[in-house]
């Protein structure tokens, strides 16, 4: 997702909530997509308020995933056809149900992170919308005033003028950034550059003497100073050097991270803080240098190359293919690309169910 706020993985929450609520309501594909766009917008605007609070106070709330629950409630409410008053209640209930503690650096299995940043936000957002549709009551205008959503979570009574600025003119989803590889956002550029160097020079992992990664200091702090899941720390770079690919299977199967080749590569990776890259715009920038055992020094400085439609097709085919096979993955890709033409999203959901 767009890194210039305090929330990420919004599309995962928004899409899950839209498909679920849309299936229950018999909504059309175009209605579901409209819900995703508008719910995503609310979530990102909530996240932007958290980013502004950090900027003005110096208090860092961490990734503000409470916004994902609010966005999911809006998504589900639109898909379910809530009235304006019911939507007001749904957002209030979502504020009560929001979950967002983020002790990710303490986690080694990547389970509660996926739950908090994805599953629970979607579940609670849909729950809030269903409760509102069933006639449940809650305080209105939850986004404003003392003991409201922002006051309770961020200590500010009002979200500020920027919360509504440009509403309906520009949509945040147009700035969506997809991850090419199975690793943290701040590792996307280093992993991309590393794999490109290896490919361009036809290197094998046993030819590499050392890998030097220039990064923002804050990303080094995030990804290299605590024991985290291989998909969410610097170990993803060692996995890339040894096994290549997108890294999903390698990050989640212990046989890869316990191999002698991987363990040896971990010791060869050095990270160098770049103080001149401190601000957020360098989060998608890196310089990678490979020193080979035969004395070569290979360097690439680059920005993260955002994914195009062909890249997304390849990633979808690979990841979904791991679950259902390549042929079925291609069939599902064709169905989902026609989502806007579907009369009832339930007809699509049946095709997404697997034992």
């Amino acid at each position: 997702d767009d890194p210039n706020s305090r929330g990420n993985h919004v599309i995962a929450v928004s899409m899950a909530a839209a498909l679920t609520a849309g299936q229950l309501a018999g909504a059309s594909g175009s209605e579901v997509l409209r819900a995703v766009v508008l719910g995503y917008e609310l979530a990102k605007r909530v996240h932007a308020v958290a980013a502004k609070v950090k900027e003005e106070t110096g208090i860092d709330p961490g990734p503000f995933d409470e916004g994902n629950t609010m966005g999911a409630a809006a998504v589900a409410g639109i898909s379910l056809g809530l009235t304006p008053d019911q939507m007001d209640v749904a957002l209030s209930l979502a504020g009560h149900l929001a979950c967002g503690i983020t002790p990710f650096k303490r986690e080694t299995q990547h389970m509660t992170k996926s739950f908090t940043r994805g599953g629970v936000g979607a579940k609670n957002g849909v729950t809030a919308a269903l409760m509102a549709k069933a006639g449940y009551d809650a305080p209105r205008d939850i986004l404003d005033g003392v003991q409201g959503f922002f006051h309770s979570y961020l200590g500010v009574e009002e979200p500020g003028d920027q919360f509504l600025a440009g509403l309906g003119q520009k949509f945040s989803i147009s700035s969506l950034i997809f991850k090419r590889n199975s690793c943290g956002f701040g590792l996307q550029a280093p992993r991309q550059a590393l794999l490109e160097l290896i490919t361009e020079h036809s290197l094998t992992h046993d030819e590499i003497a050392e890998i030097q990664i220039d990064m923002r200091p804050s990303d080094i702090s995030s990804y290299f100073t605590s024991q985290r899941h291989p998909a969410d720390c610097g170990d993803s770079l060692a996995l890339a050097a040894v096994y290549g690919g997108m890294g999903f299977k390698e990050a989640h199967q212990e046989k890869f991270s316990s191999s002698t080749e991987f363990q040896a590569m971990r010791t060869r990776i050095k990270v160098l803080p770049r103080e001149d890259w401190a601000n957020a715009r360098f989060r998608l920038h890196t310089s990678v240098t490979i020193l080979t055992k035969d004395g070569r020094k290979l360097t690439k400085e680059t920005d993260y190359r955002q994914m195009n439609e062909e890249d997304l097709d390849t990633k979808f085919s690979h990841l979904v293919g791991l679950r259902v096979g390549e042929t079925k993955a291609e069939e599902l890709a064709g169905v989902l690309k026609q989502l806007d033409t579907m009369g009832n999203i339930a007809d699509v959901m049946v095709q997404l169910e697997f034992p």
Side-chain angles (χ1 to χ4, degrees), residues 182-184 187 191 194 229-241 247 251 262 269:
S182 182
C183 61
L187 296 169
R191 200 176 195 280
L194 173 60
H229 187 272
D232 205 29
C233 71
D235 285 351
S236 65
L237 300 178
L239 288 169
F262 165 76
I269 295 179

Side-chain angles (χ1 to χ4, degrees), residues 21-325:
Q23 182 179 22
L24 291 171
S28 69
S30 60
E31 289 170 333
V32 164
L33 292 174
R34 173 176 176 269
V36 169
V37 171
L38 297 178
Y40 186 100
E41 185 67 25
L42 173 59
K44 294 304 288 187
R45 285 173 178 265
V46 169
H47 296 155
V49 175
K52 186 170 181 61
V53 169
K54 179 189 175 185
E55 179 185 349
E56 293 179 349
T57 67
I59 299 173
D60 186 0
F64 195 63
D65 294 320
E66 292 87 344
N68 291 359
T69 305
M70 301 298 283
V75 166
I78 293 168
S79 296
L80 291 169
L82 297 190
T83 67
D85 186 63
Q86 288 174 328
M87 182 67 84
D88 208 353
V89 171
L91 292 176
S92 180
L93 292 170
H96 287 79
L97 288 166
C99 178
I101 65 169
T102 54
F104 299 153
K105 293 183 181 180
R106 306 181 194 177
E107 183 180 19
T108 60
Q109 296 302 312
H110 208 273
M111 291 184 180
T112 56
K113 179 175 182 179
S114 299
F115 178 66
T116 301
R117 308 205 77 174
V120 74
K123 178 182 75 71
N124 287 352
V126 173
T127 298
L130 287 172
M131 291 171 68
K133 189 173 181 67
Y136 210 91
D137 195 27
R140 273 63 167 177
D141 301 324
I142 197 66
L143 299 178
D144 303 306
V146 175
Q147 297 183 339
F149 177 80
F150 291 111
H151 187 240
S152 297
Y153 286 107
L154 295 172
V156 294
E157 294 183 24
E158 305 293 335
D161 294 340
Q162 82 283 355
F163 186 60
L164 297 178
L167 188 64
Q169 300 172 11
K170 181 180 179 181
F171 294 95
S172 300
I173 203 167
S174 63
S175 299
L176 183 63
I177 298 173
F178 290 96
K179 291 182 179 180
R180 175 174 280 98
N181 300 299
S182 182
C183 61
F185 194 85
L187 296 169
Q188 292 295 315
R191 200 176 195 280
Q192 170 194 298
L194 173 60
L195 288 173
E196 288 177 350
L197 278 174
I198 290 172
T199 300
E200 290 165 7
H201 297 276
S202 302
L203 295 175
T204 60
H205 66 85
D206 53 5
E207 294 179 282
I208 298 174
E210 183 173 295
I211 299 171
Q212 299 172 357
I213 311 288
D214 288 14
M215 298 178 67
R216 293 194 315 158
S218 58
D219 285 331
I220 293 176
S221 174
S222 293
Y223 297 113
F224 289 91
T225 59
S226 59
Q227 182 59 43
R228 300 166 70 172
H229 187 272
D232 205 29
C233 71
D235 285 351
S236 65
L237 300 178
L239 288 169
V242 176
Y243 300 110
M246 296 178 189
F248 183 84
K249 179 174 62 176
E250 293 78 11
H252 293 276
Q253 294 185 13
E254 188 177 353
K255 67 179 181 180
F256 294 102
S257 58
S258 62
S259 72
T260 55
E261 293 86 356
F262 165 76
Q263 296 297 334
M265 187 59 67
R266 289 181 76 196
T267 66
R268 301 176 199 164
I269 295 179
K270 312 297 180 186
V271 287
L272 307 173
R274 288 289 298 266
E275 300 295 340
D276 54 329
W277 292 355
N279 67 48
R281 75 183 186 87
F282 285 101
R283 195 175 187 197
L284 293 174
H285 189 79
T286 193
S287 178
V288 174
T289 298
I290 297 177
L291 304 179
T292 65
K293 292 179 180 179
D294 62 5
R296 287 177 290 166
K297 182 178 180 179
L298 312 171
T299 299
K300 173 167 283 196
E301 182 170 343
T302 185
D303 291 324
Y304 174 66
R305 178 168 42 83
Q306 294 195 38
M307 300 179 75
N308 57 30
E309 185 172 351
E310 183 180 353
D311 294 329
L312 290 169
D313 285 343
T314 299
K315 182 174 181 179
F316 182 90
S317 178
H318 173 71
L319 293 181
V320 178
L322 292 174
R323 177 70 176 82
V324 302

